Amino acid sequence: MRQIVPPYLLDRIADAGADRFPLAAEAARRSLLHDAPRRALRGAPPVMPPLHDDDLPAVLPDAPSMPDRRISDAGGRETLPGRLVRREGEPATGDPSVDDAYDGLGDTHRLFDRVFGRDSIDGAGMPLEATVHFGRHYDNAFWDGERMVFGDGDGEVFRGFTDSLSVIGHELAHGVTEHTAGLRYQGQSGALNEHVSDAFGALVEQYALGQDAGAATWLIGEGIFTDEVEGRALRSMLEPGTAYDDDVLGRDPQPGHMRDYIDTDDDNGGVHLNSGIPNRAFALAARELDGFAWEHVGRIWYDTLISGRLGRDATFAEFAAETVRSAESRFGAESREARAVLHGWQSVGVLDAQAEGDAAE
């Protein structure tokens, strides 16, 4: 199970939030108890064969795609899938959670379909399923290998999790990773798994809004905190460690450079923490190139995912080298794109300056 809210943040709310956010503290404790056994089940799905498309389309955000969406309502229970309430092509229900989930699944399908030539999560038209109103004050959203599941939040710290398009894109991108590179959810490969979801979650939002790299916020989970929280989002890709700074939640602990890499046994080896390092590399490369990020770094990262060259236990350095290789293959060894990707990784200490000389040889 891949969750958007990391366990260390829920731990903080559960431990420190009782006075200021009593409902949120209890909700965080229940969410942690619910999620713990699911986090222990980390079976690896089969890795699908790589797909190749050398003529990927570049289109406007309103280009049509043909998803197959199915939204169910758990009605506050923790039984999946819940009652089916909206299928593809049916009108809005008036329930914001249902309709936001429906729209977000469509926006995510559109990016992968129209930009990367991928038909749904598995590349073969897999139905996009989601369940809303999961649990009572459940403080998370997750991908369970088959569907998106959204809690309604506790109302004190977290709003409903369908409020953020980057959250929806993030969780569905876990499914894409499962069906392509299959990055193991532990240590550096797990942080890369989280990073890839953040990267494509950001691209889903930017594509839907028609934002270029300079105008984008590069925030993941913007809008899921209530006004009572001193914070903008769960994570900042461009500036890891700055997304929130609150008396109860503490300060965003994500590092943005390898010198600050966090060695820990918690959170599957710090997958939600250390993902800040590749996140910043991606955002810096996109900002250097400017324009629409899905047209350059997005394609490079997608090419890397489907290349078949990534090991399930890929390190940051191995992943970085493959993105440089993908950039050179698609855009040319001397291209702006290849240089920007290399500079991004150098800026966060994953690749050193020598890599530029090696790449030029």
Side-chain angles (χ1 to χ4, degrees), residues 6-17 28-29 32 39 248 266:
Y8 60 79
L9 184 54
L10 291 175
D11 278 331
R12 176 81 185 191
I13 297 168
D15 289 342
R29 283 190 286 270
L32 285 164
R39 284 197 299 271
V248 171
D266 295 334

Side-chain angles (χ1 to χ4, degrees), residues 3-11 32 140 234-235 244 267 272:
Q3 303 139 308
I4 192 68
V5 180
Y8 60 79
L9 184 54
L10 291 175
D11 278 331
L32 285 164
N140 228 321
L234 284 173
R235 293 183 285 279
Y244 56 86
D267 188 28
H272 290 93

Side-chain angles (χ1 to χ4, degrees), residues 18-281:
D19 291 337
R20 183 173 160 204
F21 300 125
L23 181 60
E26 177 59 26
R29 283 190 286 270
R30 286 201 307 269
S31 297
L32 285 164
L33 287 172
H34 170 273
D35 296 344
R38 293 173 181 264
R39 284 197 299 271
L41 300 175
R42 296 194 297 270
V47 178
M48 304 298 285
L51 304 174
H52 298 283
D53 186 347
D54 294 327
D55 189 24
L56 298 177
V59 296
L60 294 175
D62 60 355
S65 64
M66 299 180 65
D68 180 5
R69 291 167 283 186
R70 304 168 191 178
I71 314 299
S72 299
D73 183 348
R77 295 179 293 275
E78 295 185 4
T79 302
L80 296 173
R83 180 173 60 92
L84 183 63
V85 291
R86 189 176 181 188
R87 301 190 65 145
E88 186 62 41
E90 292 181 346
T93 65
D95 181 328
S97 295
V98 171
D99 297 332
D100 287 348
Y102 183 90
D103 292 343
L105 297 184
D107 287 334
T108 303
H109 185 280
R110 188 175 300 114
L111 172 78
F112 280 101
D113 183 26
R114 302 306 298 166
V115 175
F116 307 123
R118 185 178 191 84
D119 184 8
S120 193
I121 288 170
D122 64 349
M126 176 180 177
L128 297 179
E129 304 203 32
T131 294
V132 300
H133 303 309
F134 179 80
R136 179 170 168 269
H137 301 309
Y138 179 62
D139 276 343
N140 228 321
F142 62 87
W143 164 256
D144 71 355
E146 296 180 354
R147 66 176 50 246
M148 273 292 310
V149 181
F150 300 95
D152 289 327
D154 53 67
E156 290 182 340
V157 171
F158 292 110
R159 305 180 192 275
F161 286 85
T162 59
D163 287 353
S164 172
L165 182 53
S166 61
V167 167
I168 298 174
H170 170 105
E171 294 300 336
L172 288 178
H174 277 305
V176 175
T177 298
E178 288 176 4
H179 284 277
T180 54
L183 293 164
R184 191 166 71 94
Y185 205 66
Q186 184 70 35
Q188 287 196 14
S189 60
L192 288 168
N193 194 313
E194 278 297 318
H195 153 66
V196 167
S197 278
D198 275 356
F200 285 104
L203 291 183
V204 167
E205 186 169 84
Q206 291 170 25
Y207 190 67
L209 297 174
Q211 290 180 332
D212 62 27
T217 66
W218 296 101
L219 296 174
I220 303 300
E222 185 177 20
I224 68 169
F225 286 138
T226 69
D227 293 340
E228 298 301 312
V229 174
E230 295 295 326
R232 300 176 295 162
L234 284 173
R235 293 183 285 279
S236 169
M237 293 187 67
L238 187 61
E239 299 174 311
T242 68
Y244 56 86
D245 189 356
D246 183 84
D247 290 344
V248 171
L249 277 63
R251 184 171 181 173
D252 176 5
Q254 272 205 317
H257 194 280
M258 281 301 291
R259 63 174 168 262
D260 301 315
Y261 184 90
I262 299 171
D263 286 308
T264 177
D265 293 329
D266 295 334
D267 188 28
N268 295 90
V271 297
H272 290 93
L273 291 165
N274 294 312
S275 57
I277 297 169
N279 275 0
R280 180 162 168 78

